[in-house]
Amino acid sequence: MPESDEQPPPPSTPSSTTTTTTTTTTAPPIYIHPRREPFEHGLLPIPKIIFTDGSQTLVSIRNKLLSLSSTSSYRANSEAIAESLQISNENARLVIETIASVLHNDSDPIVTVNSLQIGSVGVNVFDLMLFLYIQSYKRLLPKGHKDSAAVADVWPSTSTFDGFLSALSPLQLVRSNSRRFMPSQADEEAHQLSYLQKHLGNILSLLAESVEGDTEESLVLSMEKLEHLGFLIFFGEKGSERIPLSQNAPFFANSDPEMPAVPVPAAQVHDWLLENIASALTRITERASAKENGPTIASDQDMPMADVSASSVKSSPSPRGPSFIEGISKSSYVRLRNDIKGSSVKVINCHESVIYILAPLKYATVYGCSDATIVLGAVGKAVRVEHCERVHVIAAAKRICIANCRECVFFLGVNQTPLLVGDNHKLQVAPYNTFYPLLEEHLKEVGIDPTINRWDSPVALGVVDPHDSLSHPAGVSDVQTESASPVDPDQFTNFLIPNWFEGQQSGSTKDNPFPFPDAYLASQQRNHKNLEETKRILKDNELDESRKREVATALHVCFKDWLYASGNIRQLYCLQGE
């Protein structure tokens, strides 16, 4: 039976039926969804921006920021944010950069401006309020958590479960939660909707204006302020465009574009949104129930974030959600632009492999991987690497956040300072070290400037991520996490992407577009000079055939040892299989 016959249309859709003179046609239902980006890439473990009293404190902060901003633009720069929140200018800039990476409006000045000017351009105060409010959000607990009902929305969590897990390594921590306990995408969406459902009244109060009525003061919401809620929610379905909230709201849908719409009571908007959220939650529950009673499709967007066997489907695209690359083990794996549906990718639980994602993206997540090399082509919004061990990540991105990782090396071309959160150990950073034919075209497409690379200035925040229910016990959020050390220039090497793509990828990039720092450039030049000198010596020395064979054998043994020690033997086997 078609899904539209099984599910009732949500109550918000004023245009859910189209009447003609002869027939009535039922349009596909349009449901409300949370925007995943703010919840996945927009949380910062800075204690002073986390408020647990709902909107009480935030209303006074909003009023102060509005008094410091231009009345026409409602924008607050980094100085105003630092003063109002009592945080450093560096953290205020980090707040603005984070909002820019998850903002719903790509035409906003902080999205389009040069990264060096982002602090002075500032952020819209109402977008900032929504960002600050959701800093109280806590990520979904594993299904098996014995206290899950009690601590799902409690701040902060003091479960002894978390204390036990703190003794585990990042990868052990992930693996300690088996597949059946890890939350699926549907679980996370329901968790985010439930959070919004619970806090919607406070959220609307941050956007609403107070007016004097006949008997008492009341709150009203303008169409312009309603659109700011697009930071957190949207209407739409698989494969469809996201619909602006005001176009789907019955009280604004038929407004005259030439005339400002009359503000409506905030209580009316509240009731309408609650009705839609309830309908969406019911739908998620019914879909989950149907899956439990029917066959599971590996490529469904609700696939759990956990280990899969080598025989499982490796890539699972979703028109609305991210594309998954999951469970790759002991192999090389390539994804080009045409292989990826949507604008985000999640690489999950991949081990002892080399994974190439050579495409322009908005978001990328690397989660629960070990002993792997992962190449991310061009990520225009944000990369998050979490719970990984002994992984080399090569990424060209606007920004990157690294959480709860151990013994990983990051070769970065990033326009903003790398962010280190949670319990990290023995991390290293280095300049970006590779290229592929379409790299420069992809960088330009997603808005990355290769002349700006801040790989060497990581910012380390508290050792505990208060949004992560898995990391550590509460109470030590002000302890400083380890930073990352730079790779020794003499140990730095370029990474060569095999030319598998002739005929598929023809581009103008012939070399690494990110300039090398002087120390690394000098090391590269020394290595090249030493290689040329060695080749000259071998060529100039007259050796008999026996000595030539000895030298060739010694070089072969050294090269073979390096292949095994570096893990590059895997790529050689894959190349032989092509």
Side-chain angles (χ1 to χ4, degrees):
M1 184 180 293
E3 182 179 292
S4 58
D5 293 335
E6 295 178 353
Q7 307 295 340
S12 72
T13 340
S15 56
S16 60
T17 59
T18 304
T19 305
T20 67
T21 55
T22 56
T23 61
T24 300
T25 303
T26 302
I30 300 174
Y31 289 90
I32 200 167
H33 300 277
R35 286 187 69 243
R36 292 172 177 167
E37 295 85 0
F39 297 103
E40 293 182 1
H41 297 276
L43 303 178
L44 290 174
I46 301 175
K48 286 189 176 181
I49 71 169
I50 298 171
F51 301 92
T52 58
D53 59 353
S55 59
Q56 184 175 346
T57 304
L58 285 174
V59 167
S60 61
I61 291 174
R62 178 200 64 186
N63 294 340
K64 181 173 183 178
L65 285 167
L66 288 174
S67 70
L68 295 173
S69 66
S70 164
T71 55
S72 59
S73 65
Y74 302 121
R75 303 193 76 84
N77 60 24
S78 57
E79 288 80 7
I81 293 172
E83 178 184 341
S84 300
L85 297 177
Q86 295 298 294
I87 59 177
S88 66
N89 284 328
E90 291 76 15
N91 281 349
R93 180 186 174 89
L94 181 57
V95 165
I96 297 176
E97 290 175 342
T98 305
I99 295 174
S101 72
V102 297
L103 199 61
H104 60 299
N105 180 10
D106 283 343
S107 63
D108 190 280
I110 61 168
V111 179
T112 58
V113 75
N114 183 293
S115 61
L116 298 177
Q117 300 173 306
I118 197 169
S120 58
V121 168
V123 63
N124 184 282
V125 170
F126 297 99
D127 291 331
L128 173 61
M129 289 300 104
L130 297 182
F131 167 82
L132 292 174
Y133 194 93
I134 66 167
Q135 299 306 310
S136 66
Y137 175 79
K138 197 159 186 131
R139 295 188 185 96
L140 182 61
L141 294 168
K143 294 178 183 177
H145 196 309
K146 62 184 179 181
D147 298 325
S148 59
V151 301
D153 198 27
V154 174
W155 185 269
S157 169
T158 56
S159 169
T160 55
F161 177 87
D162 295 333
F164 167 73
L165 284 181
S166 67
L168 302 180
S169 76
L171 200 58
Q172 288 172 324
L173 187 144
V174 171
R175 287 174 172 171
S176 67
N177 296 279
S178 66
R179 179 179 179 81
R180 69 181 184 277
F181 293 136
M182 291 305 290
S184 69
Q185 292 293 298
D187 292 332
E188 290 180 343
E189 181 163 322
H191 184 62
Q192 291 161 10
L193 281 174
S194 297
Y195 172 86
L196 294 172
Q197 184 182 48
K198 178 177 179 179
H199 296 275
L200 188 59
N202 287 333
I203 290 171
L204 289 177
S205 71
L206 295 172
L207 302 177
E209 301 172 62
S210 179
V211 296
E212 294 290 341
D214 295 334
T215 56
E216 60 182 15
E217 191 177 82
S218 61
L219 295 176
V220 298
L221 201 68
S222 67
M223 185 169 71
E224 178 189 6
K225 298 298 192 322
L226 177 67
E227 289 294 1
H228 286 285
L229 271 181
F231 183 77
L232 299 176
I233 54 178
F234 70 95
F235 283 95
E237 258 322 303
K238 286 185 178 181
S240 66
E241 294 294 325
R242 297 184 178 186
I243 303 170
L245 294 183
S246 61
Q247 291 184 22
N248 210 64
F251 28 84
F252 290 133
N254 298 316
S255 299
D256 184 349
E258 301 298 326
M259 295 288 292
V262 177
V264 299
Q268 183 179 351
V269 179
H270 185 255
D271 292 344
W272 170 70
L273 287 172
L274 284 182
E275 200 174 3
N276 276 274
I277 290 173
S279 179
L281 287 170
T282 299
R283 183 202 188 201
I284 291 172
T285 301
E286 290 174 349
R287 286 167 62 94
S289 176
K291 285 181 184 179
E292 288 177 2
N293 299 324
T296 300
I297 301 173
S299 63
D300 192 274
Q301 71 172 28
D302 296 333
M303 192 173 185
M305 294 171 62
D307 289 326
V308 296
S309 67
S311 61
S312 299
V313 174
K314 295 296 194 299
S315 182
S316 36
S318 165
R320 182 167 61 84
S323 291
F324 289 89
I325 296 171
E326 184 170 2
I328 306 298
S329 179
K330 298 184 178 180
S331 62
S332 289
Y333 190 73
V334 183
R335 276 291 174 262
L336 306 181
R337 181 175 198 148
N338 292 339
D339 303 317
I340 296 171
K341 307 300 180 185
S343 59
S344 63
V345 163
K346 290 189 175 183
V347 181
I348 302 169
N349 292 337
C350 295
H351 310 287
E352 298 181 65
S353 298
V354 182
I355 296 170
Y356 304 87
I357 305 172
L358 310 182
L361 301 166
K362 286 187 176 180
Y363 299 95
T365 299
V366 179
Y367 184 93
C369 298
S370 68
D371 302 289
T373 296
I374 298 167
V375 183
L376 301 173
V379 186
K381 296 288 189 179
V383 174
R384 183 176 179 89
V385 182
E386 189 168 10
H387 292 302
C388 290
E389 290 185 358
R390 299 177 303 280
V391 169
H392 286 197
V393 176
I394 303 172
K398 183 66 68 69
R399 71 194 311 263
I400 187 170
C401 178
I402 301 160
N404 305 313
C405 291
R406 185 170 295 184
E407 297 177 48
C408 296
V409 185
F410 298 87
F411 298 87
L412 302 176
V414 287
N415 290 169
Q416 298 174 6
T417 54
L419 180 62
L420 308 181
V421 303
D423 189 17
N424 295 298
H425 294 284
K426 297 182 180 179
L427 303 185
Q428 292 181 285
V429 290
Y432 190 74
N433 66 339
T434 193
F435 68 93
Y436 59 95
L438 287 174
L439 176 58
E440 286 171 300
E441 286 91 327
H442 290 171
L443 294 176
K444 184 176 181 180
E445 182 176 337
V446 300
I448 297 172
D449 184 353
T451 66
I452 300 173
N453 192 359
R454 305 191 69 187
W455 68 273
D456 57 346
S457 53
V459 173
L461 297 179
V463 71
V464 173
D465 182 352
H467 310 100
D468 186 353
S469 303
L470 288 176
S471 292
H472 297 277
V476 288
S477 59
D478 58 342
V479 177
Q480 195 72 6
T481 188
E482 283 187 23
S483 190
S485 60
V487 170
D488 186 327
D490 290 333
Q491 301 299 316
F492 177 85
T493 57
N494 287 308
F495 183 85
L496 179 63
I497 297 177
N499 192 12
W500 287 324
F501 320 113
E502 287 187 11
Q504 299 181 52
Q505 282 209 326
S506 57
S508 60
T509 304
K510 307 299 181 185
D511 202 355
N512 185 349
F514 291 90
F516 280 131
D518 290 343
Y520 291 85
L521 181 60
S523 177
Q524 291 287 297
Q525 291 171 341
R526 281 196 304 272
N527 291 339
H528 181 73
K529 183 179 179 180
N530 291 339
L531 176 61
E532 293 299 318
E533 182 68 13
T534 301
K535 289 165 64 177
R536 185 190 64 77
I537 292 172
L538 290 173
K539 183 178 179 181
D540 292 348
N541 279 287
E542 294 294 334
L543 301 175
D544 58 34
E545 289 302 318
S546 175
R547 295 290 292 171
K548 284 182 180 179
R549 283 194 297 270
E550 288 179 12
V551 171
T553 300
L555 290 173
H556 178 76
V557 169
C558 290
F559 180 59
K560 187 176 180 180
D561 289 344
W562 175 82
L563 283 174
Y564 279 102
S566 65
N568 286 307
I569 190 68
R570 180 80 53 199
Q571 294 193 73
L572 187 59
Y573 288 148
C574 292
L575 284 170
Q576 289 174 341
E578 288 293 315

